[in-house]
Amino acid sequence: MQIVSLLKLPFRYKPWQPRHLQLIGKDLLGTKQPICEDRVHLEALVEWLCRAQDQRDGQQDEGSVSAGWSFEDGWLQGYPETSGYIVETFIAASEVLSRPELKTRANRILDWELSIQHADGAFPGHFGERGSEPVIFNTGQIMHGMLAGYLELGREECLEAAVKAGQWMRSKQDEDGCWRRSVHNGIPHTYNTRAAWALLRTGLAANDESLQQAAIKNLDWAISTQTPCGWFKQNAFLTDNPPFTHNIAYAIRGILESGLLLNDERYIKVASKSARALAQQLREDGWLAGAFSEGWQSKSYYCCLTGLAQASIIWQRLAQIDDDPLWLESAQKGIDFLKGTHTTTSTSALNSDAPHLGAIAGSFPIWGRYSMFEYPNWAAKFFADALLIKAYQRVVPAVDVPASSQSQDEKLAQAI
């Protein structure tokens, strides 16, 4: 069966098409792109996200952001999950790039998301197609966007939607804090901490103790899965597979940000341990293996660029509360590697209307196992977020500090 699947790959991804062949050849030769100033890369990423949103104009999912561009299908449908957290990136970029129209784009995403929310509070899973079921993780990511709509755009209905979604998440939670229902592939995932972070933020914004406690229960379950070396169990998309760095970074960020919001050193230490272990796997040139099994073992021949961008955000966040030079050194290496894979301008071989222009691939090389032959919108989002914090000290999502945490020590207060 595996051999049959491999034989089908060329027909699925059509590598013989001229544009595909050019992109494959670029990575095959190890061609590096120019490393420009942070703003140049940020503007290219934002422009590509705008193009991805424009692909849905006139469609049923107008206002959403296309999930990306792939060799297999071209421009993809609008993706509820990632469109949700692109809201916060558009808002931040609007401010630092002086582009007020990006807030209009953010509002269009929110309008669409609100229109597809289920009566029970959940948001559609996958692309929201007929038969797709709501998923805890996806709903949590849309809640981050809803909170941006409430906190930064003043839309009260967005907080109401987030609370309703949070109550649905709570109804699906098991007693030990784990989510085993309404989850991807029907198995528990430690990376749902990023949804727990959204649940915690919603509970704090709405002063809803039940949502806060549900988030804490999941965080407590998640930290119990950490091994002595800092790796997380039950953190992959499939039981028998090692988690991508994308999954690992999701888990770390959810725990870290929740720890900062709660001023809880337990969570911060757990996140720091995993982030340090991940940084220690970084090559001198900024390349990071795409997936890791227990003990931080890896057989990956590729870098998961999305995960590297996320890790670069985490390392910068830790640098705000810990003066260990490892954090900023690792973030700089990771960001420079990402820049070296990022095409910001057209060349004679690739026209300016090329759909990859300004995007970030799922993997380097592009045939890596994560989002193979694809430029996902969330890769662009997280690389943009990494640059926003590096160049402008703009954390995405913007940190909403509850009144009860105003007395935290100075370093922690600066970080959140």
Side-chain angles (χ1 to χ4, degrees):
M1 184 63 71
Q2 190 173 13
I3 294 174
V4 173
S5 296
L6 288 172
L7 290 173
K8 289 181 179 178
L9 284 178
F11 298 97
R12 179 178 176 185
Y13 295 111
K14 304 176 279 291
W16 54 80
Q17 291 191 1
R19 178 172 286 141
H20 300 178
L21 194 60
Q22 290 163 353
L23 294 171
I24 291 169
K26 177 174 68 71
D27 285 4
L28 191 63
L29 295 172
T31 305
K32 289 289 186 180
Q33 302 303 305
I35 294 179
C36 305
E37 293 181 357
D38 294 331
R39 187 182 181 99
V40 173
H41 288 277
L42 177 61
E43 288 177 337
L45 291 160
V46 170
E47 201 56 45
W48 184 85
L49 288 170
C50 291
R51 290 174 65 197
Q53 186 178 36
D54 292 344
Q55 297 304 313
R56 307 316 302 161
D57 284 354
Q59 305 297 317
Q60 189 173 1
D61 55 359
E62 184 168 359
S64 69
V65 181
S66 165
W69 182 81
S70 76
F71 282 20
E72 183 177 12
D73 298 309
W75 285 103
L76 304 172
Q77 291 175 255
Y79 198 4
E81 174 205 329
T82 60
S83 294
Y85 58 31
I86 287 171
V87 167
E88 59 199 23
T89 303
F90 273 160
I91 293 171
S94 172
E95 294 169 358
V96 303
L97 299 178
S98 299
R99 290 186 56 177
E101 78 278 5
L102 293 176
K103 288 188 178 179
T104 301
R105 288 183 175 276
N107 274 307
R108 289 177 60 208
I109 296 173
L110 291 169
D111 290 343
W112 174 69
E113 297 280 15
L114 288 167
S115 76
I116 62 173
Q117 186 174 23
H118 293 186
D120 62 4
F123 287 92
H126 199 236
F127 292 135
E129 66 273 28
R130 186 184 299 276
S132 63
E133 296 293 330
V135 176
I136 292 293
F137 185 84
N138 300 41
T139 290
Q141 306 326 299
I142 296 167
M143 288 165 65
H144 281 295
M146 289 295 151
L147 288 167
Y150 168 66
L151 295 165
E152 300 191 70
L153 300 178
R155 297 184 59 165
E156 293 284 343
E157 73 273 28
C158 289
L159 179 60
E160 294 171 9
V163 169
K164 194 173 181 180
Q167 294 294 359
W168 174 80
M169 288 175 64
R170 194 168 72 90
S171 74
K172 299 295 182 180
Q173 190 175 41
D174 289 345
E175 188 57 37
D176 64 354
C178 179
W179 281 294
R180 297 180 178 86
R181 293 171 287 167
S182 298
V183 289
H184 186 51
N185 290 327
I187 58 174
H189 304 287
T190 306
Y191 64 72
N192 274 329
T193 55
R194 202 178 196 280
W197 172 29
L199 192 62
L200 175 63
R201 294 180 68 219
T202 302
L204 290 169
N207 196 25
D208 187 324
E209 185 69 23
S210 69
L211 299 186
Q212 296 174 45
Q213 290 305 310
I216 290 168
K217 284 174 65 175
N218 179 257
L219 293 165
D220 288 344
W221 172 82
I223 65 174
S224 75
T225 73
Q226 189 182 53
T227 66
C229 68
W231 186 80
F232 293 108
K233 301 175 183 177
Q234 301 182 70
N235 198 29
F237 292 135
L238 296 169
T239 303
D240 297 329
N241 290 0
F244 293 114
T245 50
H246 174 54
N247 307 53
I248 294 167
Y250 267 152
I252 297 172
R253 184 95 193 268
I255 295 168
L256 174 62
E257 297 290 355
S258 297
L260 292 171
L261 276 175
L262 295 167
N263 195 19
D264 192 322
E265 283 296 326
R266 292 180 306 145
Y267 300 140
I268 296 171
K269 286 180 179 178
V270 165
S272 298
K273 185 175 186 177
S274 295
R276 184 176 298 278
L278 200 57
Q280 289 168 346
Q281 310 308 315
L282 195 68
R283 279 190 339 205
E284 191 60 32
D285 65 353
W287 184 93
L288 185 66
F292 290 96
S293 56
E294 190 164 2
W296 299 100
Q297 301 299 307
S298 181
K299 297 179 180 179
S300 298
Y301 61 87
Y302 63 93
C303 175
C304 170
L305 297 176
T306 311
L308 180 58
Q310 293 170 265
S312 298
I313 295 167
I314 292 164
W315 295 325
Q316 290 183 91
R317 288 292 278 147
L318 284 165
Q320 293 177 324
I321 60 169
D322 179 0
D323 58 9
D324 188 332
L326 173 70
W327 303 129
L328 287 183
E329 289 172 3
S330 300
Q332 184 64 63
K333 289 177 184 177
I335 287 171
D336 282 348
F337 187 87
L338 289 161
K339 286 181 175 181
T341 72
H342 185 217
T343 305
T344 59
T345 57
S346 62
T347 67
S348 58
L350 299 167
N351 295 329
S352 60
D353 66 345
H356 82 289
L357 189 63
I360 283 287
S363 294
F364 180 85
I366 200 167
W367 55 89
R369 293 300 303 167
Y370 182 76
S371 286
M372 182 181 285
F373 296 116
E374 185 173 295
Y375 293 85
N377 70 21
W378 53 100
K381 176 260 187 325
F382 285 120
F383 187 23
D385 290 354
L387 293 171
L388 282 162
I389 189 172
K390 177 178 180 291
Y392 303 97
Q393 290 300 298
R394 180 64 157 84
V395 180
V396 179
V399 178
D400 36 283
V401 184
S404 60
S405 65
Q406 293 296 329
S407 62
Q408 295 173 21
D409 65 80
E410 184 177 349
K411 266 193 171 183
L412 190 57
Q414 289 176 348
I416 66 173

